[in-house]
Amino acid sequence: MKKLAVILLTATMIFHISATERSVQGQKEPFSPDSPRLSQTNYDSLRGIIPAYHFNPSFVKEINASLEDENIEILPTENPFVKVDIISRQAETVPFYEVKGGALIIKSAKRKIENDTVTVKIYIPKNHKAQGIFIQTKRGNIELHRQKAKKIDLETDRGTITLNGIDSKKVYVDASHGDVKILDLTSDYAELDVSRHDLFIDKIKTTELSIETKSGDVKASRIQTEKLYIDSTSGNITLQFASPITKNSSVYTKKGDIKIFKPRNSWCRYITSSKYGKFDNDFDSSDSSVKFSVETKNGTVSIIKK
């Protein structure tokens, strides 16, 4: 009996030592270049139950997220891998995510989020440029900070959208019931659709900029674009240009004031119209072939030299 106990104890010790050695060796081994999921670490969430995964950036050609109530943030990192962190109190509300077919796919949890805020944070190496970033939420906020991608397409029903330090060839933003804030955006083409809330732009550089709103104000400064199109049903529009437009452009609001601060060296010809409002013009007439149409039916049009 004693001999059997000794044998069992010895076997247990050998198994434990072997498992420990494998674990330590596994930690020392470099990331496998042919594996999209590089490692798993414990994430210190509110209850310490949410894992954080690291992914090989060469396998993350695009980011594709379809979410309900979850907020999502995409941030730069100095680390050489893509990392996904999820902040949640309950494991049942953690979104599903995986890398498949060159895309980081994120989907909402099956269980409805109640009395909680779930935030998905994606960290992208600062030198990594994705082919596309496609995010759709119903009530969650969307934030992108210092990201590069060939195409960015963001849509939310009742969340807010924030873009800060974005470089992309094409940018599409659609917010039905939420504000849109753009702090720094560079793009060949940008299309911003803000239905019933406000659009705030601090710095934007595009070849062509298209803005549509229904009942929100548009306030934009440091605008650099060759061509501009704005169509608003009800809302005030305030524009400050950092450089003159070079192609025919138009700004229209049915009910609201339009105020434009133009560069002194602007060479476009302003065509203004207000059916029930008035004009406040501070510019000289020009015979330029570039036409800038500014129209409101119920409001004041003001064009001011910077």
Side-chain angles (χ1 to χ4, degrees), residues 197-294:
H197 278 259
D198 297 335
L199 169 63
F200 173 81
I201 300 174
D202 180 57
K203 182 181 180 182
I204 189 167
K205 183 179 180 181
T206 66
T207 302
E208 184 175 349
L209 175 59
S210 175
I211 298 173
E212 292 191 26
T213 69
K214 288 184 178 179
S215 59
D217 294 337
V218 176
K219 184 179 290 186
S221 61
R222 295 197 286 176
I223 304 170
Q224 289 182 265
T225 185
E226 295 181 13
K227 184 176 182 179
L228 174 66
Y229 169 81
I230 299 179
D231 189 349
S232 173
T233 302
S234 172
N236 299 322
I237 299 173
T238 303
L239 308 174
Q240 182 176 348
F241 289 87
S243 63
I245 62 171
T246 57
K247 296 180 180 179
N248 292 348
S249 301
S250 65
V251 175
Y252 170 81
T253 181
K254 188 175 181 180
K255 297 179 181 179
D257 298 333
I258 300 175
K259 185 179 292 186
I260 296 177
F261 295 87
K262 78 177 189 70
R264 291 184 177 273
N265 62 343
S266 177
W267 294 101
C268 63
R269 178 158 52 100
Y270 289 92
I271 302 172
T272 58
S273 174
S274 178
K275 188 173 183 180
Y276 300 107
K278 62 178 183 178
F279 298 104
D280 183 9
N281 303 327
D282 184 20
F283 65 96
D284 299 326
S285 61
S286 170
D287 58 357
S288 171
S289 60
V290 179
K291 300 177 182 179
F292 195 161
S293 175
V294 183

Side-chain angles (χ1 to χ4, degrees), residues 59-75:
F59 285 83
V60 183
K61 302 298 183 183
E62 67 179 48
I63 298 171
N64 197 324
S66 180
L67 302 171
E68 297 281 337
D69 298 333
E70 299 90 344
N71 301 323
I72 183 168
E73 301 176 15
I74 302 182
L75 306 160

